[in-house]
């Protein structure tokens, strides 16, 4: 999971380089047509969706261009992130020390989701909490990617209808198997930049 977190950090630095400035600006303007960026979760969802699955004017994809710098397992891991999933995840139960089992109300699939920040990244994700955000596959598990919002269990009935079709949710089914379990054993020195941020909504 550390490897995935480090690669994610490097990818986002690459994506926000001057080379892609115009395309990224267009994406953000599209997400915030009034010109005011006032929601970190929506900003993250718009940016990451474009990086993982969007196309530049000439047909290239930022993730695929970045993956060309790597080979072997690193390249394969990066390219698997084209199966990026956004959704409204209802936490069902803990999964190891750094993860949770969650049901996505957008695609109606169950995922085993982990945080590259370790236990700290999931400490507030208790059963019933609703997490709105994105995830990418890592081996047979999924890693939280980008900013996300965590809503208390008592607000679940209000959050799911509100966010089920919002602009930060993509209705799709992943080609990977979300309920399979596999821990990535490789690691590399951390850049100090987490790949995900979870904000608690009150």
């Amino acid at each position: 999971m550390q490897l995935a977190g480090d690669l994610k950090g490097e990818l986002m630095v690459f994506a926000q380089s001057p080379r892609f400035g115009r395309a990224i600006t267009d994406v953000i303007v599209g997400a915030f047509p009034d010109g005011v960026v006032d929601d970190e979760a929506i900003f993250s969802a718009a940016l990451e969706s474009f990086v993982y699955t969007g196309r530049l004017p000439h047909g290239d994809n930022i993730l695929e261009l970045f993956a060309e710098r790597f080979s072997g397992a690193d390249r394969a891991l990066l390219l698997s992130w084209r199966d990026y999933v956004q959704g409204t995840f209802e936490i069902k139960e803990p999964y190891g020390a750094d993860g949770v089992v969650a049901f996505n109300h957008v695609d109606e699939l169950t995922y085993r989701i982990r945080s590259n920040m370790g236990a700290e990244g999931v400490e507030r994700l208790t059963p019933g909490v609703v997490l709105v955000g994105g995830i990418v596959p890592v081996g047979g598990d999924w890693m939280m990617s980008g900013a996300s919002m965590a809503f208390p269990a008592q607000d679940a009935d209000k959050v799911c209808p509100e966010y089920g079709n919002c602009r930060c949710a993509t209705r799709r089914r992943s080609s990977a198997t979300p309920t399979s379990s596999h821990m990535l054993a490789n690691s590399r020195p951390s850049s100090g930049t987490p790949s995900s941020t979870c904000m608690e909504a009150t």
Side-chain angles (χ1 to χ4, degrees):
M1 198 55 63
Q2 184 64 59
L3 165 65
D6 291 342
L7 285 174
K8 168 63 191 310
E10 294 174 26
L11 168 62
M12 298 314 292
V13 170
F14 177 76
Q16 296 179 71
S17 65
R19 175 181 179 183
F20 309 115
R22 177 61 182 273
I24 295 298
T25 297
D26 289 346
V27 168
I28 301 308
V29 170
F32 298 93
D34 58 0
V36 179
V37 179
D38 56 2
D39 190 311
E40 184 179 353
I42 291 177
F43 172 86
S44 175
L47 175 62
E48 298 210 347
S49 180
F50 182 71
V51 169
Y52 290 130
T53 66
R55 292 289 167 182
L56 297 165
H58 297 294
D60 292 327
N61 166 261
I62 293 178
L63 172 63
E64 292 170 356
L65 290 172
F66 180 70
E68 290 176 358
R69 299 182 170 195
F70 300 85
S71 61
D74 285 5
R75 179 181 173 83
L77 174 61
L78 286 165
L79 292 178
S80 75
W81 292 352
R82 290 176 294 191
D83 281 328
Y84 173 63
V85 173
Q86 292 177 348
T88 303
F89 302 91
E90 181 182 351
I91 308 305
K92 294 299 185 181
E93 61 184 5
Y95 172 51
D98 62 355
V100 294
V101 175
F103 177 78
N104 185 3
H105 286 269
V106 175
D107 61 17
E108 299 183 339
L109 294 174
T110 298
Y111 296 83
R112 289 175 175 172
I113 304 171
R114 298 173 59 197
S115 170
N116 73 305
M117 298 172 64
E120 178 185 357
V122 297
E123 62 182 356
R124 295 178 177 175
L125 301 183
T126 54
V129 166
V130 174
L131 180 74
V132 179
I135 56 176
V136 292
V138 176
D141 293 334
W142 294 76
M143 179 179 73
M144 288 188 287
S145 181
S148 58
M149 291 289 291
F151 295 84
Q154 61 266 29
D155 293 337
D157 290 342
K158 293 181 291 184
V159 173
C160 290
E162 178 181 356
Y163 283 88
N165 294 302
C166 76
R167 49 183 164 165
C168 62
T170 301
R171 187 171 294 277
R172 58 167 296 186
R173 290 184 179 272
S174 170
S175 61
T177 305
T179 55
S180 61
S181 173
H182 177 71
M183 295 188 67
L184 188 65
N186 296 324
S187 64
R188 62 175 52 176
S190 172
S191 61
T193 304
S195 73
S196 60
T197 303
C198 182
M199 299 171 288
E200 185 173 20
T202 57

